[in-house]
């Protein structure tokens, strides 16, 4: 496109122009400007995933007039489409909330922002009509309505399962397990187990999300505290786990995804485990505490020397003992 001197919005708008009878019909005898106003209100709301403000609608109307002046209705609509496809409100999903922006602290999202958040979380796409209708009614401020919409989207979009598995793995950085390497002098079998850890994290999260997962509390409780996992027989031996009739493994000494190999391997060093890296990951990702990197504070952290007579906890106690 760049070689032809065209942008993607230009190409898409030109393609849409060929289907103007379906996208922006204007019956004979109607004023083209009235048809354009209807098109702007309808298509703008879909592009921005919310109703247009008065200023936005007026600006696009002026753009239509500029495009149609001395030309045709189709030229004005094509120019409006190019503007919509380049607008930040189309390109970005906002979390700005209503009212003046705040420098810090929580922000109450608008109903339309909540609709987009739910939709992109589950479907990787814009909100559908039921979500937009709920947003227009102001219903999404109610947690129960959000839950109802979430369950509806899960049921109507089977691919949402894989979408949530991917997002939850990214949240805890488990997706890095596929590229995490270890020093074979310390972990000679990691190449075998590393692939199993990655598969376990995917299968376990999927099982938690499935409707037939054990009913022992919420999905979050299961994710963080389940006494079972879904894993290869090799991992059953590694975890000292007991196979179950349903194909899962019962764990005796581990609980939830934070005790699984993928999380422990990613948040560690190539030659040893790291309670500091694990703690920082949990603080940042789970508890939302802004833990800075030591280098930003001018601190050079030295790992405690190896001592076979001390446990990892005892070795790292030097970090808390030294001011």
């Amino acid at each position: 496109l760049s070689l032809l001197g065209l942008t993607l919005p230009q190409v898409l708008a030109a393609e849409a122009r060929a289907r103007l009878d379906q996208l922006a019909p204007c019956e004979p005898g109607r004023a083209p400007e009235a048809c354009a106003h209807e098109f702007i209100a309808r298509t703008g709301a879909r592009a921005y995933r919310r109703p247009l403000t008065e200023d936005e609608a007026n600006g696009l109307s002026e753009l239509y007039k500029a495009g149609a002046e001395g030309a045709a209705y189709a030229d004005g609509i094509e120019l409006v489409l190019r503007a919509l496809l380049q607008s930040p409100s189309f390109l970005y999903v906002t979390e700005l909330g209503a009212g003046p922006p705040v420098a810090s602290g929580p922000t109450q999202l608008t109903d339309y922002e909540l609709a987009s958040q739910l939709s992109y979380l589950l479907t990787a796409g814009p909100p559908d009509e039921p979500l937009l209708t709920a947003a227009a009614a102001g219903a999404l401020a109610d947690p129960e309505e959000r839950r109802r919409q979430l369950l509806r989207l899960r049921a109507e979009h089977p691919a949402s399962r894989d979408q949530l598995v991917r997002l939850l793995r990214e949240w805890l950085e488990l997706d890095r397990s596929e590229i995490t390497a270890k020093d074979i002098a310390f972990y000679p079998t990691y190449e075998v187990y590393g692939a199993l850890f990655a598969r376990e994290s995917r299968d376990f999260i999927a099982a938690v999300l499935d409707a037939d997962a054990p009913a022992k509390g919420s999905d979050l409780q299961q994710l963080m505290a389940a006494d079972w996992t879904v894993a290869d027989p090799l991992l059953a031996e590694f975890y000292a786990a007991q196979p179950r009739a349903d194909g899962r493994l019962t764990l005796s000494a581990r609980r939830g995804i934070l005790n699984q190999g993928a999380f422990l391997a990613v948040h560690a060093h190539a030659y040893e485990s790291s309670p500091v890296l694990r703690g920082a990951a949990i603080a940042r990702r789970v508890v939302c505490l802004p833990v800075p990197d030591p280098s930003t504070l001018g601190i050079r952290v030295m790992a405690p020397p190896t001592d076979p007579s001390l446990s990892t906890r005892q070795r790292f106690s030097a970090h808390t003992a030294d001011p």
Side-chain angles (χ1 to χ4, degrees), residues 85-206:
L85 293 171
Q86 296 177 79
S87 168
S89 294
F90 169 70
L91 295 172
Y92 300 103
V93 177
T94 68
E95 293 183 339
L96 302 176
V102 293
S104 61
T107 297
Q108 180 64 51
L109 300 183
T110 68
D111 277 73
Y112 287 101
E113 288 175 328
L114 289 169
S116 287
Q117 190 178 70
L118 274 172
S119 185
Y120 283 103
L121 174 71
L122 291 158
T123 72
D128 59 11
E129 285 304 320
L131 262 178
L132 291 175
T133 299
L140 294 180
D142 180 4
E144 283 306 312
E145 177 61 17
R146 293 199 298 274
R147 176 180 171 82
R148 191 185 72 79
Q149 293 287 348
L150 183 145
L151 295 176
R152 177 185 66 79
L153 291 171
R154 282 293 316 275
E156 293 177 4
H157 297 270
S160 63
R161 179 183 187 259
D162 292 339
Q163 167 80 355
L164 287 171
V165 169
R166 180 178 68 83
L167 288 174
L168 286 168
R169 291 185 78 234
E170 289 177 359
W171 169 49
L172 295 173
E173 300 180 271
L174 307 181
D175 55 319
R176 287 170 43 203
S177 62
E178 284 91 343
I179 59 171
T180 295
K182 298 294 177 183
D183 188 327
I184 60 172
F186 294 90
Y187 300 107
T189 60
Y190 183 76
E191 283 195 12
V192 174
Y193 284 110
L196 300 180
F197 291 150
R199 187 190 313 158
E200 177 197 19
S201 71
R202 286 191 291 267
D203 293 345
F204 173 73
I205 293 171

